[in-house]
Amino acid sequence: MSTRTRTGRRPGPSSTRDEILRAARRRFAEDGYDRATFRRIATDAGVDPALVVQFFGSKQDLFGAATVSPVTLAELAATPAVDSSASPGLRLARLLMLWLEDDGARQALLARIRSASSEPAAADVVRRMIGDQLVEFARAMDGDRTDVRASLLATQFLGIVFARFVVVAEPLASMTGDEIADWLGPTFDLYLRGPVDDSRPGRPAQA
Amino acid sequence: MSTRTRTGRRPGPSSTRDEILRAARRRFAEDGYDRATFRRIATDAGVDPALVVQFFGSKQDLFGAATVSPVTLAELAATPAVDSSASPGLRLARLLMLWLEDDGARQALLARIRSASSEPAAADVVRRMIGDQLVEFARAMDGDRTDVRASLLATQFLGIVFARFVVVAEPLASMTGDEIADWLGPTFDLYLRGPVDDSRPGRPAQA
């Protein structure tokens, strides 16, 4: 799979603005909102700090621009790499683990998760992401309580990202994306397709 | 259930040291490591900042002392409230949601999760917590890959805590602990008891 296909970006000379955005994304991903400074981001991008301010104004605005993933889950789902005869849950698990392999997507997600812990604006972005990105997959399953199902998918995914990349906890940090997807698949199938108990609306049916 | 039973603490007059620890736990839980200052914690506890330094020395030491949960999962598991004829996964899910209802336990956990994003010492505590606290439950199931099972349980739980209390994402933030436990139960049963594929060691068997 070429870079062109993965990211949807045309190859070509990158502008100073793009350099700053990439440096900011990496820095927010590694250090979180509070510790990522304009000065450090400017140094990483090889420009004057005043230029960063000139381009983006506030730190919140820079954060917002830098943490948009260069490739969306929907774009990635449309690539042939994730087609398979696996269950919907396993397909989604593989898709999410593949998404994390894209440097830009992973850094954007990590930047948001790390920053959400202290910066309300970042928490707001994560909140909307939970609602928006995964609800389409839950909705495609045509079940009840789509909002709950999408949220549960998101929490399991967020927990994996947190343990694997923020806390770097073993054995998760060393497992391959495929190995993790194999464990997540059945869980995602439960969340996507598990029946709701008719006698207790909103609750899953217990085995 | 009385406070005595829940926390294992005897009621009685609290010392200044305890007041500082409680104030620090609340502050780290709400603001994370970087934004929680000695000055603010001292103000919350109604003492002079110099006294906080005198008692605890460094911020890392104060963080370490303040974010020990006043009630452990094992202690809570021994209380009658969580006995039930439910599956092991559902029992564990109810136990974890009950644990979050204890103010001290929830704040200690939130403080660690919020702080792990920027402070390596906090990440280290979360890393050990993932390994230690839940591995006993996975081990009691007598399955293969206990370490993977415990880690997956931890990631799903961490994701729930993150979405419910850090990001405050709906519908999870408004659901009751019991409602969430009902959804998590079948997932935890998968992680605790799901079979491993003999033809691909370390991987779960796919349905």
Side-chain angles (χ1 to χ4, degrees):
Chain A
M1 185 166 25
S2 74
T3 306
R4 175 76 180 88
T5 325
R6 283 277 292 274
T7 67
R9 272 186 277 114
R10 285 169 204 286
S14 78
S15 67
T16 303
R17 191 176 183 279
D18 287 342
E19 285 294 341
I20 295 171
L21 282 179
R22 269 199 290 279
R25 190 191 295 138
R26 278 197 305 270
R27 194 47 57 192
F28 283 126
E30 285 180 26
D31 297 344
Y33 191 87
D34 285 342
R35 295 190 184 190
T37 61
F38 269 32
R39 180 169 301 275
R40 181 67 192 264
I41 290 165
T43 304
D44 290 352
V47 302
D48 191 273
L51 197 62
V52 182
V53 178
Q54 186 187 315
F55 270 125
F56 297 99
S58 73
K59 192 171 180 182
Q60 275 195 18
D61 288 340
L62 175 59
F63 179 83
T67 61
V68 173
S69 172
V71 53
T72 68
L73 207 50
E75 283 166 1
L76 192 59
T79 63
V82 288
D83 276 355
S84 93
S85 57
S87 69
L90 185 54
R91 282 207 302 278
L92 179 57
R94 285 180 182 162
L95 179 66
L96 286 168
M97 297 314 293
L98 192 63
W99 197 37
L100 291 178
E101 286 176 21
D102 183 283
D103 288 342
R106 185 182 62 256
Q107 286 164 3
L109 188 61
L110 270 174
R112 289 169 173 190
I113 291 177
R114 272 194 202 274
S115 304
S117 294
S118 59
E119 174 55 37
D124 195 54
V125 173
V126 174
R127 194 180 306 122
R128 275 182 282 119
M129 185 177 68
I130 289 179
D132 300 346
Q133 287 256 23
L134 285 165
V135 80
E136 291 305 318
F137 290 87
R139 213 173 266 151
M141 294 292 107
D142 205 24
D144 299 323
R145 299 311 311 266
T146 308
D147 55 341
V148 177
R149 293 170 191 276
S151 297
L152 289 164
L153 287 169
T155 59
Q156 176 59 94
F157 180 57
L158 285 178
I160 290 285
V161 175
F162 198 85
R164 195 165 157 90
F165 299 109
V166 178
V167 177
V168 196
E170 294 298 348
L172 289 174
S174 300
M175 287 168 73
T176 67
D178 271 358
E179 283 170 341
I180 292 178
D182 278 348
W183 283 96
L184 297 185
T187 298
F188 286 2
D189 278 321
L190 267 180
Y191 292 154
L192 286 170
R193 304 194 291 187
V196 166
D197 187 342
D198 288 336
S199 67
R200 302 184 307 165
R203 307 283 188 103
Q206 298 296 331
Chain B
M1 186 168 26
S2 74
T3 306
R4 176 77 181 86
T5 325
R6 285 275 294 272
T7 66
R9 273 186 278 115
R10 284 167 205 284
S14 77
S15 68
T16 303
R17 192 176 184 279
D18 288 342
E19 284 295 340
I20 295 170
L21 282 178
R22 269 199 289 280
R25 190 192 295 138
R26 278 197 305 270
R27 193 47 58 193
F28 283 125
E30 284 180 26
D31 297 343
Y33 191 87
D34 285 342
R35 295 191 184 190
T37 61
F38 269 33
R39 180 170 300 276
R40 182 64 191 267
I41 290 165
T43 305
D44 290 351
V47 302
D48 191 272
L51 196 63
V52 182
V53 178
Q54 187 186 313
F55 270 124
F56 296 99
S58 75
K59 193 173 180 180
Q60 273 195 20
D61 288 339
L62 175 60
F63 179 83
T67 61
V68 173
S69 172
V71 53
T72 68
L73 208 50
E75 282 166 1
L76 193 59
T79 64
V82 288
D83 277 354
S84 94
S85 57
S87 69
L90 185 54
R91 281 207 303 276
L92 179 56
R94 286 180 182 161
L95 179 65
L96 286 168
M97 297 315 292
L98 191 63
W99 198 37
L100 291 178
E101 287 177 22
D102 183 282
D103 288 342
R106 184 183 63 255
Q107 286 165 3
L109 189 62
L110 271 173
R112 290 169 172 190
I113 292 177
R114 272 194 202 275
S115 304
S117 295
S118 60
E119 173 55 36
D124 196 53
V125 173
V126 174
R127 192 180 306 123
R128 276 183 282 120
M129 185 177 69
I130 289 178
D132 300 348
Q133 288 256 22
L134 285 165
V135 81
E136 291 306 318
F137 291 88
R139 213 174 266 150
M141 294 293 107
D142 204 26
D144 299 324
R145 298 310 312 266
T146 308
D147 56 340
V148 177
R149 294 171 191 274
S151 297
L152 289 164
L153 287 169
T155 59
Q156 176 59 93
F157 179 57
L158 285 179
I160 290 285
V161 175
F162 198 85
R164 195 166 158 89
F165 299 109
V166 178
V167 177
V168 195
E170 294 297 350
L172 289 174
S174 301
M175 287 168 75
T176 67
D178 271 358
E179 282 169 342
I180 292 178
D182 279 347
W183 283 96
L184 296 185
T187 298
F188 286 2
D189 278 321
L190 268 179
Y191 292 154
L192 287 170
R193 305 195 290 186
V196 167
D197 187 341
D198 288 335
S199 67
R200 301 185 307 164
R203 308 283 189 104
Q206 298 296 330

